[in-house]
Amino acid sequence: MSEKPRPRILMIYTGGTIGMKENPVTKALEPFDFNHLLDNVPKLKMLDYDISHHQFHTPIDSSDMNPRHWGQIVKVIDDNYDNFDGFVVLHGTDTMAYTASALSFMLQNLSKPVIITGSQLPIGEVRTDGEENLITALQIAAARDTDGRPTVREVAILFENYLWRGNRSTKRSADNFDAFRSNNYPELAKIGLGISFNKEALWRSKSSSPQLEVHYDMDTNLLCLDLFPGMRECMVRHILNTPGLKAVVLKTFGAGNAPAEPWFSEAIRDAVNKGIIVVNITQCPNGEVDPYRYMTGLELAQTGVVPGHDLTFEAAITKLMYLLGKGLNTDEVKRLMQYNLCGEMS
Ligand code: ASP
């Protein structure tokens, strides 16, 4: 009888609290190196997996994360795609949801798990959440369906008791161990005594043998305009006249509403007429933009603003970077912003 091969997992360590250590002089947490992390999780040896690792040359606090780093992660996954069954990315929590969203677009046709995790307390601390998060992330990356295919075939965030779709996730707490949520999509798995996958929620490609397609160019000529009562025309116009601006994520009230004052509609219309893509998402953590519900939302749609439906802010920003980076024309970007590419919108 042939034995089942041991799952081969590649861990990619980018930095973040999970691998940080207190600086004895400043007392601030600083990124440390990967060996320190392995020394602190002897239990890893109890998993019957072949675990290899790749470490960022200089581990970073994830507040320093940028599209060049995303490209590095994508390259490591692409170079090692055929040699591993799954990938675990260790990452700071602050920008984890942005990285998860970006990777979901940059790794098109993914058919293996890319599980991103980190922790709120460094792994060397007694009450750390890092050890459990790391071990569970590895177990999820190694999980197989009865036909031998990976259970998870997408980018996901594992944190505390849940596995969330990467491009649906948001960091919701700066100090709670249960730090992430996906407000518009159910969990992919719930972690209790066992790991209980929510099979209906998992992403399944329409193609039976998807070929990984990697994409590196992320165009960052975009901005966010977060509405609040009392916004001044000169400031809104200043933002919309930023040289080189190609797209704006407009964070609106409720179901996608904005002030009906003529100067506001005019400023937005001028931007749209200049070819700037304006995408409407709601400031509410839960729910979606419905441009036909209120007059104030309808007016925006009539000026050519694209409804972003229930996209998270992180997904809206990174999806625009990805589509603009592909060099598509404005109409095509607008069309695809309303089309579900990899589970990012309902
Ligand atoms: N500032 C840290 C980071 O994002 C926070 C964390 O890892 O939880 O890298």
Side-chain angles (χ1 to χ4, degrees), residues 11-15 18 34 37 88-92 115 117-118 134:
M11 274 204 266
I12 303 169
Y13 174 54
T14 69
I18 192 162
F34 198 77
L37 201 143
V88 170
V89 179
L90 300 178
H91 195 288
I115 312 300
T117 196
L134 173 57

Side-chain angles (χ1 to χ4, degrees), residues 157-175:
I157 288 182
L158 178 281
F159 223 85
E160 183 78 346
N161 291 330
Y162 296 97
L163 183 73
W164 305 110
R165 172 161 297 158
N167 54 30
R168 294 286 195 144
S169 308
T170 298
K171 182 172 179 180
R172 64 154 197 153
S173 172
D175 49 30

Side-chain angles (χ1 to χ4, degrees), residues 13 19 32 71-72 122 146 155 162-163 190 212 218 231 246 251:
Y13 174 54
F32 203 64
Q72 280 178 43
T146 42
V155 180
Y162 296 97
L163 183 73
K190 196 160 173 11
L212 181 71
M218 298 292 268
M231 275 190 115
K246 293 185 185 165
K251 290 182 82 177

Side-chain angles (χ1 to χ4, degrees), residues 24 29 79 89 100 112 133 162 212 217 223 230 241 247 266 305 312 325 339 342:
L29 289 173
D79 288 350
V89 179
K112 295 189 178 185
N133 285 348
Y162 296 97
L212 181 71
D217 297 321
L223 274 173
N241 281 321
E266 252 171 59
V305 170
T312 61
Y339 181 82
C342 45

Side-chain angles (χ1 to χ4, degrees), residues 71-135:
Q72 280 178 43
I73 302 171
V74 167
K75 172 102 174 67
V76 174
I77 293 175
D78 189 29
D79 288 350
N80 293 282
Y81 198 65
D82 294 333
N83 300 326
F84 289 89
D85 300 306
F87 302 85
V88 170
V89 179
L90 300 178
H91 195 288
T93 57
D94 290 346
T95 59
M96 189 181 283
Y98 291 89
T99 296
S101 300
L103 294 187
S104 76
F105 299 118
M106 296 166 87
L107 296 164
Q108 287 291 312
N109 296 333
L110 192 64
S111 58
K112 295 189 178 185
V114 173
I115 312 300
I116 310 183
T117 196
S119 65
Q120 295 279 50
L121 282 177
I123 208 144
E125 288 201 13
V126 185
R127 291 181 51 254
T128 184
D129 50 331
E131 185 175 64
E132 258 183 52
N133 285 348
L134 173 57
I135 288 173

